Amino acid sequence: MERRFSDFGEKLTAPSGIYDLMEDLGQALSAGGMIMMGGGNPAHIPAVEQVWRTRLEHILATPGAMESMLGDYDTPRGRPDFLETLAAFFRQRFGWPVGPENIAITTGSQTAIFLLFNLLAGPTAGLAQPRRILFPLVPEYIGYTDQGIAPDMFRAWRPEIELHNDDTFKYRLVFGDLTPDIAALCISRPTNPSSNVITDSELSTLSALAARSGARLIIDHAYGHPFPGVIFTTVQTPPWEDHVIHTFSLSKLGLPTTRTGIIVAEPRIIDRIARMNAQVVLATSTLGQTITQPLFPSGQLSTMCSEVIRPFYLLRSQAALAALRDSFAGYPHYRVHQCEGAFFLWLWLPRLPISDLDLYARLKRRGLLIVPGSCFFPGLQQPWDHTSQCVRLTYSADPAAVRRGMAILAEEVRALDTKPA
Ligand code: PLP
C-alpha cells in the first residue's frame, strides 16, 4: 500500500521558487566561485558586524546574560522586556499608541507572513466562499507565492508601467475593486523584487479601501523604516490603524540567522499569533532580541541605520547601476526599475527571445547567480508577457563581483538578441 502525505503536506512541499532560491543560495555560498546576485542576503558591513561583536562580548561578560539567552525558553509572544522596549521605540519613533500587547515576535518575518496569511485567509466558518490575500502590486516577494495552505489563496492587481526618458521605468499601482473574498491586502515596502516604494498617498488609499471593505492591510517592512531603513525616497510615518498589520525583521540589518520577525498590530491579531507560535515553534528565538535590545532605547540602532546601512546600500545601488549601464551601453532593449530601496535592481528585457528561466540557467552555467522574474507574480490571473521578461539582480555583493556579473549578463543578452530592430 502506498504511504501518502496529507493535502497540507503536499501543498507545502510542492516545487516552489523560494525553496529553489534558498537551495541555490546555500549551495553557491558553500561551494564558492559563483558571483552571487541572487538571494536577499544582507551584506557583511564591518561597522555593523562590530556592533554585534561588541554586544556579544558584553553579553558574555555579564553574569547570567548568556545563560539566560541560551538556556531559557521565552513566552510564545517573545521576551517580555524586549516587547516593552519595542513598544516604547514605536511610540517614540512613529508616535504609534502601542504597548507590548500590540507586538509578537516570530521565527523570522517569513513565518510572520505565513501565520498571518493562514490566520486571515482560506475556508472560513460561516462564509460560503474561501477568503483570499490580494497583492495590490505585482511583481511581489517570491516568498509569498506558496505560503497559502488553502488552494488558490492569492489574487493580484496588475500595475501600469511608467516609462521614463532615460533607461528606467516604474510600476504604478492600478487600484481595482476589493471583492468580498479578500481578507487582506499585502504589500512589501520597498517591494522585493522591484525596489518600488509605494507612495504615501497610494498607501493611504489602500488603507481606506481595506477599511471600507472590512479587509486588513499587511505592510511588510523587511527592508523599510524604521530598520534597516533602506529606502531612497522620502516617505511619511506608516499609518497606525486597527486594520493595518505591520511586519518587521532583524534580518536585513545583518542578523538573518537569528530568525527574528516582529508583528505590530491590534491585540486580537497578536494574541492569535502568540497562540500559533506556541503550536508551531513553542517559543521564540532569544538571540536577536538579546543582541539588539539595548540598541533601541540608546538610539544606536537608528543611527546605524541612517548613517551606515542606508548609505552603504545607496552606494552599492549606484555602483551596480553604473556597472549595468556600462555593460549594456549601446544596447537599447533593456530597462531597469527606478531604484527606490531594498537590495535589488529589477531588469526588464522586453525583447528576450528565451524565458527568464532559461536565461537564469544559462547564467548559472557561466558562474552567475540571479533570480528569474517569473517567480514574483503571485496571484496574477491573466497572462502577461512581462512576467517572463524580467530578472532580479542583488547588488549587496562586492562591487567588483557585481561588475563582472553585469558584464556576463549583458554578453548573454546581446548574444541572444539577434532579432532585427
Ligand atoms: N519579506 C520580504 C519582502 C523579504 O524579502 C524577506 C526575505 O528576503 C522576508 C520577508 C523574510 O525575511 P526573514 O524571514 O529573514 O525576516
Side-chain angles (χ1 to χ4, degrees), residues 40 108-111 141 144 188 192 220 222-223 249 251-252 259-260:
S109 60
Q110 186 73 14
T111 309
Y141 176 43
Y144 298 155
S188 55
N192 174 359
D220 176 348
Y223 302 85
S249 171
S251 294
K252 311 303 176 179
R259 308 307 302 127
T260 316

Side-chain angles (χ1 to χ4, degrees), residues 18 21-22 39-41 107-113 140-144 188-192 220-223 247-252 255-257 259-262 344 392:
I18 192 69
L21 169 67
M22 293 309 284
N41 212 81
T107 311
S109 60
Q110 186 73 14
T111 309
I113 300 281
E140 180 55 278
Y141 176 43
I142 184 175
Y144 298 155
S188 55
R189 190 182 196 232
T191 300
N192 174 359
D220 176 348
H221 303 271
Y223 302 85
T247 67
F248 303 90
S249 171
L250 298 186
S251 294
K252 311 303 176 179
L255 293 174
T257 64
R259 308 307 302 127
T260 316
I262 298 159
F344 317 108
R392 193 192 75 179

Side-chain angles (χ1 to χ4, degrees), residues 161-170 321 324-325 331-339 348:
I161 295 182
E162 178 184 279
L163 299 180
H164 298 165
N165 286 337
D166 55 4
D167 57 355
T168 62
F169 73 104
K170 179 173 165 63
L321 196 54
L324 177 90
R325 287 183 168 143
Y331 178 77
H333 309 299
Y334 82 92
R335 276 190 184 265
V336 60
H337 193 281
Q338 184 168 299
C339 189
W348 176 27

Side-chain angles (χ1 to χ4, degrees), residues 138-139 158-159 161 169 171 346-357 372-377 380-391 419:
V138 283
R158 174 174 151 173
I161 295 182
F169 73 104
Y171 294 118
W346 177 249
L347 182 67
W348 176 27
L349 299 163
R351 284 175 35 126
L352 192 64
I354 58 172
S355 74
D356 59 319
L357 292 163
S374 51
C375 313
F376 291 90
F377 292 83
L380 191 67
Q381 301 286 290
Q382 67 273 50
W384 188 20
D385 51 7
H386 184 75
T387 62
S388 61
Q389 297 171 346
C390 300
V391 294
K419 286 186 223 164

Side-chain angles (χ1 to χ4, degrees), residues 82 85-86 89 227 250 262 292-301:
F82 186 68
T85 297
L86 271 185
F89 174 79
F227 49 87
L250 298 186
I262 298 159
T292 57
Q293 186 171 348
L295 309 177
F296 285 94
S298 71
Q300 194 179 351
L301 189 110

Side-chain angles (χ1 to χ4, degrees), residues 136-415:
L137 189 154
V138 283
E140 180 55 278
Y141 176 43
I142 184 175
Y144 298 155
T145 311
D146 298 294
Q147 282 203 316
I149 294 173
D152 191 28
M153 209 157 97
F154 301 117
R155 290 290 181 269
W157 290 338
R158 174 174 151 173
E160 246 168 38
I161 295 182
E162 178 184 279
L163 299 180
H164 298 165
N165 286 337
D166 55 4
D167 57 355
T168 62
F169 73 104
K170 179 173 165 63
Y171 294 118
R172 288 279 173 203
L173 215 162
V174 178
F175 294 95
D177 289 328
L178 279 192
T179 46
D181 58 323
I182 300 304
L185 298 91
C186 174
I187 186 139
S188 55
R189 190 182 196 232
T191 300
N192 174 359
S194 64
S195 90
N196 188 60
V197 176
I198 63 159
T199 63
D200 293 323
S201 97
E202 286 171 330
L203 195 60
S204 54
T205 306
L206 278 184
S207 177
L209 274 177
R212 209 175 311 136
S213 78
R216 296 178 189 272
L217 171 61
I218 302 169
I219 311 174
D220 176 348
H221 303 271
Y223 302 85
H225 288 316
F227 49 87
V230 188
I231 291 192
F232 308 144
T233 62
T234 307
V235 291
Q236 305 289 320
T237 295
W240 177 257
E241 289 164 288
D242 266 2
H243 65 285
V244 180
I245 302 170
H246 300 270
T247 67
F248 303 90
S249 171
L250 298 186
S251 294
K252 311 303 176 179
L253 280 170
L255 293 174
T257 64
T258 68
R259 308 307 302 127
T260 316
I262 298 159
I263 302 179
V264 186
E266 62 149 324
R268 228 157 57 96
I269 295 281
I270 296 304
D271 189 55
R272 298 275 173 163
I273 294 293
R275 287 165 191 280
M276 292 171 101
N277 262 348
Q279 299 303 329
V280 183
V281 293
L282 191 60
T284 60
S285 164
T286 56
L287 210 57
Q289 301 180 65
T290 313
I291 292 173
T292 57
Q293 186 171 348
L295 309 177
F296 285 94
S298 71
Q300 194 179 351
L301 189 110
S302 297
T303 308
M304 184 169 86
C305 291
S306 61
E307 292 183 8
V308 180
I309 297 180
R310 183 184 171 281
F312 175 93
Y313 286 106
L314 182 60
L315 267 181
R316 290 256 157 132
S317 74
Q318 289 163 346
L321 196 54
L324 177 90
R325 287 183 168 143
D326 287 350
S327 305
F328 279 91
Y331 178 77
H333 309 299
Y334 82 92
R335 276 190 184 265
V336 60
H337 193 281
Q338 184 168 299
C339 189
E340 299 183 336
F343 302 171
F344 317 108
L345 292 185
W346 177 249
L347 182 67
W348 176 27
L349 299 163
R351 284 175 35 126
L352 192 64
I354 58 172
S355 74
D356 59 319
L357 292 163
D358 290 337
L359 179 63
Y360 156 79
R362 278 171 180 253
L363 295 170
K364 194 171 164 187
R365 284 198 292 275
R366 293 195 57 188
L368 170 64
L369 212 59
I370 55 131
V371 187
S374 51
C375 313
F376 291 90
F377 292 83
L380 191 67
Q381 301 286 290
Q382 67 273 50
W384 188 20
D385 51 7
H386 184 75
T387 62
S388 61
Q389 297 171 346
C390 300
V391 294
R392 193 192 75 179
L393 311 168
T394 308
Y395 57 66
S396 50
D398 169 53
V402 169
R403 189 160 270 279
R404 284 201 306 281
M406 293 295 186
I408 296 173
L409 171 66
E411 219 175 87
E412 281 291 323
V413 170
R414 284 175 201 270

